[in-house]
Each structure stands twice: as C-alpha cells, then as structure tokens.
C-alpha cells in the first residue's frame, strides 16, 4: 500500500513537472509570436516582414521566381486623425489591414504594417501584371469600406496610394533595392493625385 501511494505521488509529481514545462513552452511561443505581430491591426509587424523578405528573396533566387512588393499609404491620414480622432484612426487602420491581409493568400505572401499608416504586401512568384491587378482590387476594396473622410481631396472617403515594384531576385542584388523601388513608386502615386497605384 505504501509502495502504491509512493508511485502515485511520483506520477503526480512527474505530471505536474511536465505540465509546467509544456505551459512555459506554449507561453514562450505565444509571446514570441505576439512580438512579431502589430499590436493594433493583428497583421505582421515590420520586424517579421524584414525577416520574411530575406527568406522570400533567397527562395526567389533559388527558384528563379519574381517577387512583387506593394507599399500602401493611407491618403491624408493625419487630416483624418485630426478631424475624427485617434480612435477612429485606429479603426480605419484595422479595416485597411484586413483588406491587405485578404490578399496574402499563399504561403509565402505576407501583409504587414510597415509603420504608422503605411503597409506592405509581399507577393511571391507574382509578375508586374499580377501585382497591378491585386493593387487595383485593393484600391476598390478600400474605397468600398466607405470610411468617410471629408478632408480628403481624393473623393470624400478614405483611400490609399500604392507603389509597386517587381523584381527577379538574384545573388548579386539585394532586397533593399526592392524596398527602394516600391517606395519611389509610392511617391509617384502620391504625386500623381493619390487613390491610385503606380508601378516601376
């Protein structure tokens, strides 16, 4: 009887120890995942995007597949925040993030909040035509959200501008060039009147 009780106590102790280890591992994993997502929108953050871009760049180099990057920026967002308040601004950011996340459908695609009101959508094995088609869909879907923005000269509702870059990754090129090209295209979209996409 004493032996059975001792065995039971040992078994319970072993179970408690294993349970504590698994709980600690899960909590650590959840914290690590949380650190890679934007706290407001729930999509990936800049840190996760930068890591993923390097992996996708290497994959594209190996597979000889193009990579497209869409930079999206909410038009006149400071004016939106000033007029409607930061809480409304946060809700607008979440809604736009949801639109972009809906276009990151394949395993190597990724939507991320790049910073402030700027977002990025990375598309693997996507040529220029495909990226332009996705950008047009995003522009329409953001307009269709119907978020009133009376201080926008782009049409009375919240809109975005999108810059697109598409390149074939190679060993002698860097992903930094893709970022720079998409950024230049975004500025061209803004200079062109906003609520539009431009590709380089």
């Amino acid at each position: 009887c004493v032996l059975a009780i001792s065995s039971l106590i040992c078994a319970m102790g072993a179970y408690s120890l294993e349970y504590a280890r698994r709980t600690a591992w899960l909590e650590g994993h959840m914290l690590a995942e949380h650190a890679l997502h934007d706290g407001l929108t729930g999509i990936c953050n800049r840190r996760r995007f930068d890591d993923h871009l390097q992996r996708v760049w290497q994959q594209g180099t190996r597979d000889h597949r193009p990579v497209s990057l869409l930079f999206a920026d909410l038009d006149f967002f400071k004016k939106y925040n000033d007029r409607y308040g930061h809480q409304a601004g946060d809700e607008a950011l979440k809604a736009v993030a949801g639109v972009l996340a809906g276009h990151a459908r394949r395993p190597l695609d990724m939507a991320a909040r790049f910073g402030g009101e700027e977002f990025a959508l990375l598309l693997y094995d996507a040529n220029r035509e495909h990226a332009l088609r996705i950008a047009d869909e995003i522009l329409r879907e953001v307009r269709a959200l119907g978020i009133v923005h009376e201080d926008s000269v782009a049409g009375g509702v919240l809109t975005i501008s999108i810059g697109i870059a598409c390149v074939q990754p190679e060993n002698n090129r860097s992903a930094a060039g893709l970022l720079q090209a998409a950024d230049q295209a975004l500025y061209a979209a803004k200079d062109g009147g906003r609520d539009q996409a431009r590709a380089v």
Side-chain angles (χ1 to χ4, degrees):
C1 183
V2 173
L3 185 59
I5 292 171
S6 297
S7 297
L8 181 61
I9 290 171
C10 287
M12 288 175 63
Y15 172 80
S16 296
L17 183 60
E18 181 61 23
Y19 180 81
R21 283 183 184 153
R22 286 179 186 235
T23 301
W25 182 86
L26 284 171
E27 287 174 352
H29 186 69
M30 287 172 63
L31 282 172
E33 274 296 303
H34 184 70
L36 298 175
H37 286 80
D38 178 57
L40 176 65
T41 64
I43 64 174
C44 297
N45 62 18
R46 173 71 186 270
R47 178 179 166 196
R48 177 118 186 233
F49 172 84
D50 288 342
D51 291 343
H52 187 69
L53 175 59
Q54 294 306 317
R55 285 195 294 275
V56 166
W57 188 266
Q58 292 167 1
Q59 187 76 34
T61 302
R62 284 193 301 269
D63 295 346
H64 304 288
R65 294 284 186 263
V67 174
S68 289
L69 176 60
L70 284 68
F71 267 163
D73 190 81
L74 277 69
D75 295 327
F76 306 107
F77 191 65
K78 184 182 183 310
K79 289 183 177 181
Y80 183 88
N81 269 336
D82 289 346
R83 182 176 184 111
Y84 301 102
H86 289 284
Q87 186 171 352
D90 287 351
E91 293 304 315
L93 288 169
K94 289 182 203 175
V96 172
V99 169
L100 276 107
H103 289 277
R105 300 183 182 112
R106 301 172 301 169
L108 292 179
D109 294 346
M110 175 181 279
R113 186 174 179 198
F114 209 69
E117 66 268 20
E118 193 169 69
F119 295 88
L121 179 63
L122 186 63
L123 303 172
Y124 181 73
D125 194 13
N127 60 25
R128 190 175 188 269
E129 292 72 29
H130 178 77
L132 279 166
R133 188 167 60 252
I134 294 294
D136 284 341
E137 290 174 12
I138 291 170
L139 289 168
R140 282 196 306 272
E141 290 173 24
V142 169
R143 278 188 227 110
L145 291 171
I147 300 171
V148 175
H149 187 357
E150 294 179 4
D151 290 330
S152 173
V153 298
V157 295
L158 190 69
T159 58
I160 59 171
S161 299
I162 302 175
I164 304 166
C166 179
V167 299
Q168 172 60 61
E170 296 175 1
N171 286 322
N172 61 347
R173 300 175 76 175
S174 110
L178 178 67
L179 293 167
Q180 184 177 7
D183 196 47
Q184 289 172 349
L186 175 59
Y187 277 99
K190 290 179 177 181
D191 290 341
R194 306 190 190 225
D195 188 26
Q196 60 181 274
R198 292 285 181 92
V200 293

